[in-house]
Amino acid sequence: MKKQPQSSYDKAFNALGDPTRRAIFEKLRVRPLAVVDIADGLPVSRPAVSQHLKVLKDARLIRVHREGTRNLCQIDTRGVLAMRNYLDNFWDIALSAFKQAAEKHKKHE
C-alpha cells in the first residue's frame, strides 16, 4: 500500500503531539532563541533538542536563521496557519449548525 503524503496540518499536529516539542515551541513563543538557550531547563540532551527542532522545522512550525555565529530558532507561522485553517473548518460547521437551529427556532416563535 502506498503511503499518503502528510498534509501540512498533519505534520504540525503530529510534531506538537510530543511534550518536549511543545515545550520547545512554547519557549519560542516569546522570542527567537539559540539551541543552547532552548535546551536550558529541558530534561533532554542538546543533540535530542536538535532532533526535536528538525521535526518542528519540517512541520513548518519553526524556522532557523543565522545571526553572527549563532543559529536562532523562531516560530514559523506557516505551520500554525495550517493548523488554524484545519480547525476553522470545524468552526464553520458549528456556525452553520447554529444558524440552522436559530432559524428553526425563529419559525416556531
Side-chain angles (χ1 to χ4, degrees):
M1 177 188 292
K2 187 176 179 180
K3 189 175 179 180
Q4 294 288 327
Q6 279 190 310
S7 65
S8 53
Y9 64 81
D10 275 338
K11 286 182 180 180
F13 280 120
N14 285 336
L16 292 178
D18 181 274
T20 301
R21 287 194 286 269
R22 276 197 311 276
I24 292 170
F25 188 72
E26 289 170 10
K27 278 186 160 197
L28 294 171
R29 181 176 48 186
V30 178
R31 61 185 168 92
L33 294 171
V35 175
V36 66
D37 299 321
I38 294 169
D40 187 38
L42 291 176
V44 294
S45 66
R46 276 179 47 186
V49 169
S50 293
Q51 288 299 312
H52 286 297
L53 290 171
K54 181 183 180 325
V55 173
L56 290 169
K57 185 178 173 190
D58 289 346
R60 295 182 167 186
L61 288 168
I62 67 163
R63 62 177 68 185
V64 181
H65 67 278
R66 193 140 187 97
E67 192 171 293
T69 58
R70 303 184 325 161
N71 287 323
L72 293 179
C73 302
Q74 68 182 73
I75 298 290
D76 183 342
T77 56
R78 292 178 297 175
V80 176
L81 187 59
M83 290 189 300
R84 180 179 174 173
N85 289 339
Y86 174 77
L87 293 173
D88 278 350
N89 289 328
F90 292 96
W91 185 240
D92 291 343
I93 292 168
L95 285 176
S96 179
F98 179 75
K99 180 182 176 190
Q100 287 178 352
E103 289 172 351
K104 187 176 179 180
H105 179 73
K106 189 175 181 179
K107 285 181 183 177
H108 293 291
E109 285 183 347

